[in-house]
Each structure stands twice: as structure tokens, then as C-alpha cells.
Amino acid sequence: MLERARELGFRTFLGCMEETSVGIAASAAVASLADWVDLDGNLLLADDPFSGLALGPDCRWQLPGRPGLGLERLVS
């Protein structure tokens, strides 16, 4: 969808409200295709049930090197 929007001359934005790391990681995986990105919704959660996504010193999400999105479900 992002590629098609670019073909049509649209500017694109990826964003979220409150979202677990799963949604953030999925969006971060394609974020380079968007013009603007605001993916900090998991930082607003008191208890994100997933681990593995790390915010780097440059304030960019660093995806884990594991298969898929690389996240792990925390056992509660």
C-alpha cells in the first residue's frame, strides 16, 4: 500500500495510538517506505506483553535478529 501510494504521488505516514511492541515492530519493518513515522505507542503502555524491540540511542527502533518480528511473548 505504501509503494502504491508513492506511485500515485501521495505522501505517507505511519503512526499509532496505544499499541504493543508487535504492532510497532511490524510498522518499523516497513517504516523506510513512509515519509513520516510516529511509532511510540508501546512506550505509553504500563505493561507491554512482548519483549525484544529496543529503542536505540538515535531514537530509532532496532528490530531483533530473530525470525519474524523477533519479539517474545512475556509470561505473566
Side-chain angles (χ1 to χ4, degrees):
M1 189 182 307
L2 290 167
E3 289 176 347
R4 181 66 177 140
R6 175 119 13 218
E7 290 170 4
L8 294 170
F10 290 108
R11 307 288 304 266
T12 56
F13 172 80
L14 288 176
C16 63
M17 294 295 285
E18 290 83 24
E19 182 66 57
T20 68
S21 293
V22 172
I24 302 300
S27 294
V30 296
S32 64
L33 299 174
D35 295 302
W36 297 281
V37 178
D38 181 8
L39 299 174
D40 60 354
N42 64 324
L43 301 176
L44 302 172
L45 298 177
D47 189 23
D48 187 348
F50 298 91
S51 69
L53 191 63
L55 192 59
D58 58 355
C59 295
R60 294 176 187 226
W61 288 116
Q62 298 174 346
L63 298 173
R66 294 184 295 272
L69 296 176
L71 303 178
E72 294 181 5
R73 173 87 170 156
L74 298 174
V75 178
S76 54

